[in-house]
Amino acid sequence: FDLGFEPQITRIVDNIRPIRQIALFSATFPRNVETLARKILNKPVEVIVGSRGQACHNVEQIIEVRE
């Protein structure tokens, strides 16, 4: 959103079927993202890891590359 993607996201949502499933992921959830989520999601479920409004600093990511 800081880069100005809100109009494109809104346009995409306006052009997809009304009966749809949308998943919205964000490392942080500023007010403008929350406002958009409330506008486009039905009965959203919010999962918070760490503190609300801040990125969690103690998440360990393990990536496995198989060849």
Side-chain angles (χ1 to χ4, degrees), residues 11-32:
R11 195 168 75 219
I12 290 168
V13 170
D14 288 344
N15 285 293
I16 59 177
R17 295 179 304 148
I19 299 172
R20 65 194 182 268
Q21 180 176 359
I22 297 176
L24 177 63
F25 298 91
S26 180
T28 58
F29 222 73
R31 277 286 176 226
N32 53 357

Side-chain angles (χ1 to χ4, degrees), residues 2-67:
D2 292 340
L3 298 175
F5 292 117
E6 184 178 5
Q8 290 86 353
I9 293 170
T10 303
R11 195 168 75 219
I12 290 168
V13 170
D14 288 344
N15 285 293
I16 59 177
R17 295 179 304 148
I19 299 172
R20 65 194 182 268
Q21 180 176 359
I22 297 176
L24 177 63
F25 298 91
S26 180
T28 58
F29 222 73
R31 277 286 176 226
N32 53 357
V33 175
E34 184 177 350
T35 300
L36 176 68
R38 291 187 189 284
K39 186 169 82 172
I40 66 173
L41 302 175
N42 289 324
K43 299 181 184 176
V45 174
E46 183 177 4
V47 177
I48 300 171
V49 177
S51 301
R52 191 169 208 279
Q54 296 179 356
C56 188
H57 299 287
N58 61 351
V59 173
E60 180 180 344
Q61 295 184 23
I62 299 171
I63 300 171
E64 182 179 331
V65 178
R66 295 183 182 188
E67 294 184 28

